[in-house]
Amino acid sequence: MNQGITAKDVAKLAGVSQSSVSRVYFKGATVSQKTREKVLAAAKELGYRPNEFARSLITNRTKIIGLVMKGVQNPFYPQVLKQFTTAFKKLGYSILFVYTNNDEIQQEDIDTLLNYNVAGVIITDATLSLQANEDLFNNRIPLALFNRKIDGNKFYSVCCNNLEASKQIAQYLLDAGCSNMIYISGNENTSTSIEREKGFVTVLKENKVKYKKYISDFTYEGGYKTIEKIVSQQKVPEAIFVANDIMALGVMDSLKKHQITVPDEVKVVGFDNIEMSAWPSYSLTTWEQPINEMVNVTVDYLTAEISEYSGQTQNIEIDGRLIVRKSTQNG
Amino acid sequence: MNQGITAKDVAKLAGVSQSSVSRVYFKGATVSQKTREKVLAAAKELGYRPNEFARSLITNRTKIIGLVMKGVQNPFYPQVLKQFTTAFKKLGYSILFVYTNNDEIQQEDIDTLLNYNVAGVIITDATLSLQANEDLFNNRIPLALFNRKIDGNKFYSVCCNNLEASKQIAQYLLDAGCSNMIYISGNENTSTSIEREKGFVTVLKENKVKYKKYISDFTYEGGYKTIEKIVSQQKVPEAIFVANDIMALGVMDSLKKHQITVPDEVKVVGFDNIEMSAWPSYSLTTWEQPINEMVNVTVDYLTAEISEYSGQTQNIEIDGRLIVRKSTQNG
DNA sequence: TATATTTTTGCATACGTATGCAAAAAATGA
DNA sequence: TCATTTTTTGCATACGTATGCAAAAATATA
């Protein structure tokens, strides 16, 4: 039975003081080799385990990272969750998982994070109110937005270079001879959707290419229904750039249903490079988000801020690359 | 600034004792309406927030549930994660997310759970060693296995009724006139895979139907490669029962590549009813796992055990239902 | 109104650890 | 060997809350 085994018990058995036991487990404290061994032996015998809550109470620090996530249905995010969890585990941090239904994280969830005095917060696929940000700021809790950016320099954010990516996608489609295109957006007001549109449109306008925008919601069903709508309203264009992969899969399925062939009649490009985009049923051309690198940058920032808080913010953008598959190219 | 606002500060401003402040925030304690109001007003003014760590130190309880998960790539599990998080949030519990790479949760992760003195543990898509179980048991931490079962009655587990489900699937395929079948398993030694095989085989044997088993791993790629193997070794059977949906999708894609038509040449049945199985590209007949109900049962068990620990275990099985789609039926 | 009963409050202490400080022990130098 | 410096240790206290107990206040009873 471990319940109830405290540093005092270990101290007694090891014949040292409770302070010494504490020093053995507190990184940075100094203990002689001899007592360290005695303590560890006694601790092992008793099955001692330092009480995290008592520690946090004293140090006013925790080894908990709050991870807020919305789009768990989009396979991109479970992947992100896995990578963050793995990276932080190596550093001795645990993940407090917060699921939010809303595009903007609710005060209730911020309260949870504050109650547990998390060492840092990551928000993916969602944003937060100014009040929420202030709460974190006042408590000197570092925050990183992941795959979402907020205008200005008030937040630290990590994205892939959406603007550059979508420019290159536009150029790629132009080079392929397309002269009539559609952009299907995700939820409006999300930075990812906006920037992907912006880069895309910039290049199209420069080249005086006709395009149209349809608004959707980053879901498979959204992509599917958007094609239904397009088909009922106009001639299918030569290329469709869809703001993320999961939507693009819906787009492709809907096109197939209407017997519109890809890539012959219309080329389709997605964004994210989720696993499914490589599946032969789809073979979707897409933009690879360098998740691994994005996660590492975020982790580095947070750990740096945790060890010495500066509150400095920055918008980080990391390059990805185009993955060409059959949805844009025969062969 | 909230940092540093304690119950003592609130007490001072409200003109009451620290105990009274505590009683306002401690559920079950008794305070007069008058002081409650005074305290809440003062707390609001100062931005007071009870320190969870101090609370836990005293009560030796937390409002944290440890959720251990392996297969985050399988869309079934993010769904489960979402539902658990939502359900527990309503009850005031937060989720400590633990990702494990291994089929068996490692001691390191158990240590994390114990360090945070979690109120309860859920393990999905993985199992645990006897030692790990003992650790939890000795600390009287209730444990539930989700979608995984371990022989005997040593653990509380919640699954769908895999045996009955796979029997019905077998019967359904028999009724459809199939007389030569294959079962593609997931990771061996997992209860889900074993039971699904068992039920399936039982019925086939009763009906003296030929069948063969191929071993795979619950992943898309696993399903895909298994078909490659099958095609190279034998004539394709009349029906294939795949131990889960994500693998079944790989199976269907591989069949398509070999120009083997579904359902005409071979019928395919999956398991889970993940969102993708309904996508028109696949339209996979499958067994719906009643996630919602399974989650609720698990939550009820854990909360009951948290409020009064009994350590009693039981294997719960919940019925699902067959979802017939085009992978087994024309039209 | 006076007494008995119930409710509410404050006091004091405990939870398990970290840490400043001074004492003790060990290491170093002469 | 002894004095000096350095390292290690133990003591005592603090972190912010919950809670048993007794005092005080409020309420009910006669």
Side-chain angles (χ1 to χ4, degrees), chain A residues 1-3 49-54 56-57 60 62-64 72-73 78-79 81-82 85-86 89 94-100 108-109 111-112 114-117 135 138-139 220-221 224 246 249 253 256 275-276 279-282, chain B residues 1-3 49-54 56-57 60 62-64 72-73 78-79 81-82 85-86 89 94-100 108-109 111-112 114-117 135 138-139 220-221 224 246 249 253 256 275-276 279-282:
Chain A
M1 179 147 109
N2 165 294
Q3 202 78 322
R49 188 184 307 285
N51 183 317
E52 281 300 324
F53 293 88
S56 294
L57 182 57
N60 201 25
T62 64
K63 296 288 256 177
I64 304 179
V72 290
Q73 343 268 18
Q79 193 63 25
L81 171 62
K82 173 181 165 179
T85 308
T86 307
K89 189 199 275 187
S94 299
I95 298 293
L96 192 76
F97 180 81
V98 176
Y99 167 75
T100 173
E108 179 191 14
D109 295 321
D111 285 344
T112 301
L114 294 174
N115 285 345
Y116 283 106
N117 194 22
D135 286 348
N138 288 340
N139 288 281
Y220 175 91
E221 290 75 20
Y224 196 91
I246 196 85
L249 302 185
D253 275 345
K256 191 189 287 174
E275 282 184 22
M276 286 176 268
W279 289 3
S281 273
Y282 298 101
Chain B
M1 180 148 109
N2 164 293
Q3 203 76 325
R49 188 185 306 287
N51 183 317
E52 282 299 325
F53 293 88
S56 294
L57 182 57
N60 202 24
T62 65
K63 296 289 257 180
I64 304 178
V72 290
Q73 342 268 15
Q79 194 63 26
L81 172 61
K82 172 180 165 179
T85 307
T86 306
K89 188 198 277 187
S94 299
I95 298 292
L96 192 76
F97 180 81
V98 176
Y99 168 75
T100 173
E108 178 190 14
D109 295 320
D111 286 343
T112 300
L114 293 175
N115 285 344
Y116 284 106
N117 195 20
D135 286 349
N138 287 340
N139 288 281
Y220 175 91
E221 290 75 20
Y224 196 91
I246 195 85
L249 302 185
D253 276 345
K256 192 189 287 176
E275 282 185 21
M276 286 176 271
W279 290 2
S281 272
Y282 298 102

Side-chain angles (χ1 to χ4, degrees), chain B residues 46-47 85 88 118 125 128 144 154 199 257-258 279 290:
Chain B
L46 297 175
T85 307
F88 274 118
V118 294
D125 194 31
L128 76 175
K154 264 187 100 68
K257 183 188 153 207
H258 288 92
W279 290 2

Side-chain angles (χ1 to χ4, degrees), chain B residues 7-137:
Chain B
K8 207 190 273 178
D9 301 322
V10 175
K12 205 171 173 184
L13 180 60
V16 300
S17 72
Q18 178 267 322
S19 318
S20 292
V21 176
S22 170
R23 290 191 178 102
V24 168
Y25 288 90
F26 188 77
K27 199 185 142 195
T30 160
V31 216
S32 71
Q33 189 60 24
K34 213 163 63 183
T35 58
R36 161 165 276 123
E37 280 163 10
K38 281 195 288 184
V39 166
L40 289 177
K44 193 173 180 186
E45 184 175 337
L46 297 175
Y48 169 71
R49 188 185 306 287
N51 183 317
E52 282 299 325
F53 293 88
R55 307 185 87 161
S56 294
L57 182 57
I58 292 276
T59 60
N60 202 24
R61 285 161 175 246
T62 65
K63 296 289 257 180
I64 304 178
I65 300 290
L67 178 54
V68 182
M69 185 167 280
K70 175 168 170 276
V72 290
Q73 342 268 15
N74 180 350
F76 178 75
Y77 289 105
Q79 194 63 26
V80 168
L81 172 61
K82 172 180 165 179
Q83 299 229 22
F84 269 123
T85 307
T86 306
F88 274 118
K89 188 198 277 187
K90 279 187 197 141
L91 300 171
Y93 287 90
S94 299
I95 298 292
L96 192 76
F97 180 81
V98 176
Y99 168 75
T100 173
N101 248 318
N102 306 78
D103 276 330
E104 190 174 85
I105 179 174
Q106 303 294 289
Q107 187 62 37
E108 178 190 14
D109 295 320
I110 291 286
D111 286 343
T112 300
L113 297 172
L114 293 175
N115 285 344
Y116 284 106
N117 195 20
V118 294
V121 172
I122 300 164
I123 300 184
T124 66
D125 194 31
T127 60
L128 76 175
S129 68
L130 288 177
Q131 175 61 51
N133 180 49
E134 212 169 294
D135 286 349
L136 293 176
F137 185 80

Side-chain angles (χ1 to χ4, degrees), chain A residues 98-307:
Chain A
V98 176
Y99 167 75
T100 173
N101 248 319
N102 306 78
D103 276 331
E104 191 174 85
I105 179 176
Q106 303 293 291
Q107 187 63 37
E108 179 191 14
D109 295 321
I110 292 286
D111 285 344
T112 301
L113 297 172
L114 294 174
N115 285 345
Y116 283 106
N117 194 22
V118 294
V121 172
I122 300 164
I123 300 184
T124 68
D125 194 31
T127 60
L128 75 176
S129 68
L130 289 177
Q131 176 60 51
N133 180 48
E134 211 169 294
D135 286 348
L136 293 176
F137 185 80
N138 288 340
N139 288 281
R140 314 185 113 239
I141 297 177
L143 163 69
L145 298 178
F146 189 88
N147 204 33
R148 200 61 34 111
K149 180 168 128 183
I150 296 181
D151 270 347
N153 250 342
K154 263 187 101 69
F155 300 89
Y156 183 90
S157 68
V158 178
C159 294
C160 99
N161 192 334
N162 289 305
L163 205 64
E164 181 59 26
S166 51
K167 281 183 183 174
Q168 288 191 30
I169 289 169
Q171 193 59 54
Y172 167 76
L173 290 172
L174 283 174
D175 293 347
C178 302
S179 60
N180 182 0
M181 308 192 197
I182 277 181
Y183 172 70
I184 299 182
S185 83
N187 305 54
E188 285 198 290
N189 302 326
T190 63
S191 62
T192 40
S193 188
I194 292 168
E195 300 216 319
R196 286 168 199 173
E197 176 182 4
K198 195 170 159 192
F200 189 66
V201 169
T202 301
V203 171
L204 295 198
K205 279 196 175 155
E206 277 169 19
N207 289 271
K208 297 187 177 133
V209 168
K210 220 172 114 185
Y211 83 94
K212 192 151 191 275
K213 172 190 177 182
Y214 282 80
I215 296 165
S216 188
D217 63 359
F218 281 138
T219 69
Y220 175 91
E221 290 75 20
Y224 196 91
K225 284 182 190 155
T226 303
I227 292 299
E228 303 281 328
K229 196 167 152 192
I230 290 173
V231 167
S232 73
Q233 291 184 353
Q234 65 167 97
K235 199 171 149 295
V236 175
E238 294 171 41
I240 304 177
F241 172 36
V242 192
N244 78 352
D245 279 357
I246 196 85
M247 242 190 329
L249 302 185
V251 163
M252 291 182 78
D253 275 345
S254 189
L255 289 170
K256 191 189 287 174
K257 183 189 153 206
H258 289 92
Q259 300 183 315
I260 300 167
T261 59
V262 174
D264 297 332
E265 293 177 67
V266 54
K267 299 186 198 307
V268 179
V269 178
F271 208 106
D272 285 348
N273 194 32
I274 60 176
E275 282 184 22
M276 286 176 268
S277 62
W279 289 3
S281 273
Y282 298 101
S283 191
L284 174 68
T285 293
T286 187
W287 192 268
E288 178 185 82
Q289 292 221 53
I291 297 188
N292 209 9
E293 205 181 333
M294 288 165 69
V295 165
N296 287 340
V297 168
T298 309
V299 171
D300 288 347
Y301 168 77
L302 282 180
T303 49
E305 286 291 297
I306 288 168
S307 68

Side-chain angles (χ1 to χ4, degrees), chain B residues 145-161:
Chain B
L145 298 177
F146 188 88
N147 203 31
R148 199 63 34 113
K149 179 167 130 182
I150 296 180
D151 270 347
N153 251 341
K154 264 187 100 68
F155 299 89
Y156 182 89
S157 68
V158 178
C159 295
C160 98
N161 193 334

